[in-house]
Amino acid sequence: QSDVEEKEVLTELLNEFLDGASYNDAATHDRFWAEDLIYTGSNGNRIAKADIMSGVNENPDRSEEPETLYSADEIQIMLFDDVAVVAFKLVADFTESNEPTLYFYNTGTFLKQDGLWKAIAWQATSIPEE
Protein backbone atom coordinates (compact mmCIF):
# COMPACT_ATOMS: atom_id res chain seq x y z
CA GLN A 1 0.00 0.00 0.00
CA SER A 2 1.04 3.59 -0.52
CA ASP A 3 2.02 5.87 2.36
CA VAL A 4 -1.30 7.72 1.96
CA GLU A 5 -3.23 4.43 2.24
CA GLU A 6 -1.18 3.30 5.26
CA LYS A 7 -1.83 6.63 7.00
CA GLU A 8 -5.56 6.18 6.34
CA VAL A 9 -5.41 2.65 7.80
CA LEU A 10 -3.60 3.92 10.92
CA THR A 11 -6.01 6.86 11.35
CA GLU A 12 -8.99 4.50 11.09
CA LEU A 13 -7.36 2.07 13.54
CA LEU A 14 -6.77 4.91 16.02
CA ASN A 15 -10.35 6.21 15.73
CA GLU A 16 -11.82 2.70 16.08
CA PHE A 17 -9.62 2.13 19.12
CA LEU A 18 -10.67 5.37 20.83
CA ASP A 19 -14.33 4.57 20.17
CA GLY A 20 -13.91 1.07 21.60
CA ALA A 21 -11.88 2.37 24.54
CA SER A 22 -14.75 4.75 25.35
CA TYR A 23 -16.86 1.61 25.88
CA ASN A 24 -14.02 -0.26 27.64
CA ASP A 25 -14.17 -2.95 24.95
CA ALA A 26 -11.68 -5.76 25.65
CA ALA A 27 -11.52 -6.96 22.02
CA THR A 28 -10.63 -3.45 20.88
CA HIS A 29 -7.76 -3.25 23.38
CA ASP A 30 -6.55 -6.75 22.50
CA ARG A 31 -6.46 -5.89 18.77
CA PHE A 32 -4.70 -2.53 19.26
CA TRP A 33 -1.87 -3.35 21.67
CA ALA A 34 1.06 -5.61 20.77
CA GLU A 35 1.84 -8.46 23.17
CA ASP A 36 5.20 -6.90 24.13
CA LEU A 37 3.85 -3.35 24.57
CA ILE A 38 5.67 -0.78 26.71
CA TYR A 39 3.14 1.84 27.87
CA THR A 40 4.08 4.92 29.87
CA GLY A 41 1.00 6.65 31.22
CA SER A 42 0.55 10.32 31.92
CA ASN A 43 0.99 9.56 35.64
CA GLY A 44 4.49 8.21 34.96
CA ASN A 45 3.61 4.54 35.51
CA ARG A 46 5.04 2.06 33.04
CA ILE A 47 2.81 -0.93 32.29
CA ALA A 48 2.45 -3.81 29.83
CA LYS A 49 -0.43 -5.12 27.74
CA ALA A 50 -1.31 -7.66 30.45
CA ASP A 51 -1.83 -4.79 32.90
CA ILE A 52 -4.14 -2.99 30.47
CA MET A 53 -6.12 -6.15 29.75
CA SER A 54 -6.45 -6.90 33.46
CA GLY A 55 -7.86 -3.43 34.07
CA VAL A 56 -10.24 -3.71 31.13
CA ASN A 57 -11.48 -7.10 32.28
CA GLU A 58 -12.06 -5.82 35.83
CA ASN A 59 -14.41 -3.21 34.38
CA PRO A 60 -16.62 -5.04 31.88
CA ASP A 61 -17.76 -3.43 28.66
CA ARG A 62 -20.31 -0.68 29.04
CA SER A 63 -23.11 -1.22 26.53
CA GLU A 64 -24.81 2.07 27.36
CA GLU A 65 -23.50 5.58 26.91
CA PRO A 66 -19.90 5.79 28.09
CA GLU A 67 -18.90 8.07 30.95
CA THR A 68 -15.93 9.32 28.95
CA LEU A 69 -15.75 9.77 25.19
CA TYR A 70 -12.26 9.65 23.72
CA SER A 71 -11.29 11.23 20.42
CA ALA A 72 -8.17 12.40 18.60
CA ASP A 73 -7.21 15.83 17.29
CA GLU A 74 -4.07 17.01 15.51
CA ILE A 75 -3.10 13.54 14.25
CA GLN A 76 0.41 13.29 12.78
CA ILE A 77 1.73 10.05 11.26
CA MET A 78 5.27 9.24 10.16
CA LEU A 79 5.96 6.01 8.26
CA PHE A 80 9.19 4.01 8.11
CA ASP A 81 8.49 0.81 6.14
CA ASP A 82 6.84 -1.50 8.70
CA VAL A 83 7.13 1.00 11.60
CA ALA A 84 4.93 4.04 12.16
CA VAL A 85 4.86 6.84 14.72
CA VAL A 86 1.40 8.22 15.47
CA ALA A 87 1.20 11.41 17.53
CA PHE A 88 -2.06 13.12 18.44
CA LYS A 89 -3.93 15.14 21.03
CA LEU A 90 -6.24 12.85 23.00
CA VAL A 91 -9.52 14.47 24.05
CA ALA A 92 -11.25 12.96 27.10
CA ASP A 93 -14.78 14.36 27.27
CA PHE A 94 -16.73 13.46 30.42
CA THR A 95 -20.34 13.00 29.30
CA GLU A 96 -22.21 12.76 32.60
CA SER A 97 -20.29 15.06 34.89
CA ASN A 98 -19.35 18.70 34.93
CA GLU A 99 -15.67 17.82 34.93
CA PRO A 100 -13.64 19.79 32.40
CA THR A 101 -12.51 18.07 29.24
CA LEU A 102 -8.97 16.73 29.63
CA TYR A 103 -6.29 16.73 26.94
CA PHE A 104 -3.22 14.52 26.57
CA TYR A 105 -0.45 14.36 24.02
CA ASN A 106 -0.08 10.72 22.99
CA THR A 107 2.67 9.19 20.88
CA GLY A 108 2.44 5.60 19.74
CA THR A 109 4.99 3.51 17.88
CA PHE A 110 3.39 0.85 15.70
CA LEU A 111 4.86 -2.24 14.05
CA LYS A 112 3.18 -3.91 11.07
CA GLN A 113 3.31 -7.71 11.33
CA ASP A 114 1.28 -10.14 9.24
CA GLY A 115 -0.48 -7.18 7.64
CA LEU A 116 -1.68 -5.67 10.94
CA TRP A 117 -0.48 -2.56 12.72
CA LYS A 118 -0.15 -2.90 16.51
CA ALA A 119 1.10 -0.42 19.09
CA ILE A 120 4.43 -1.58 20.55
CA ALA A 121 5.28 1.56 22.57
CA TRP A 122 3.09 4.34 23.93
CA GLN A 123 3.68 7.59 25.80
CA ALA A 124 0.90 9.73 27.25
CA THR A 125 1.52 13.23 28.59
CA SER A 126 -1.11 15.30 30.36
CA ILE A 127 -1.61 18.79 28.92
CA PRO A 128 -2.13 21.23 31.82
CA GLU A 129 -5.36 23.20 31.96
CA GLU A 130 -4.87 26.80 30.96
Side-chain angles (χ1 to χ4, degrees):
Q1 294 189 37
S2 72
D3 281 4
V4 170
E5 291 169 321
E6 291 291 12
K7 287 180 180 183
E8 287 173 0
V9 168
L10 283 158
T11 300
E12 185 175 326
L13 176 64
L14 176 62
N15 288 325
E16 286 175 0
F17 169 72
L18 293 174
D19 183 55
S22 295
Y23 288 89
N24 209 33
D25 181 69
T28 299
H29 279 278
D30 189 49
R31 159 64 188 93
F32 191 77
W33 305 114
E35 293 305 316
D36 51 356
L37 170 72
I38 300 169
Y39 184 110
T40 305
S42 62
N43 58 6
N45 289 338
R46 184 159 284 167
I47 60 174
K49 180 178 181 176
D51 301 309
I52 293 172
M53 296 308 298
S54 175
V56 168
N57 291 325
E58 286 175 12
N59 301 295
D61 302 350
R62 297 184 288 259
S63 58
E64 305 195 8
E65 280 301 306
E67 296 168 12
T68 309
L69 288 175
Y70 297 105
S71 60
D73 283 341
E74 303 172 17
I75 300 171
Q76 298 173 271
I77 300 173
M78 298 166 36
L79 291 169
F80 308 93
D81 298 321
D82 60 353
V83 174
V85 174
V86 178
F88 65 99
K89 182 191 227 180
L90 176 71
V91 180
D93 185 24
F94 301 96
T95 58
E96 296 295 320
S97 69
N98 292 326
E99 292 182 56
T101 300
L102 297 179
Y103 301 94
F104 301 84
Y105 285 127
N106 281 250
T107 303
T109 304
F110 290 76
L111 180 63
K112 188 174 188 181
Q113 292 181 307
D114 301 322
L116 294 177
W117 290 102
K118 289 202 172 206
I120 58 172
W122 201 266
Q123 175 77 44
T125 303
S126 182
I127 301 173
E129 293 180 47
E130 293 183 8

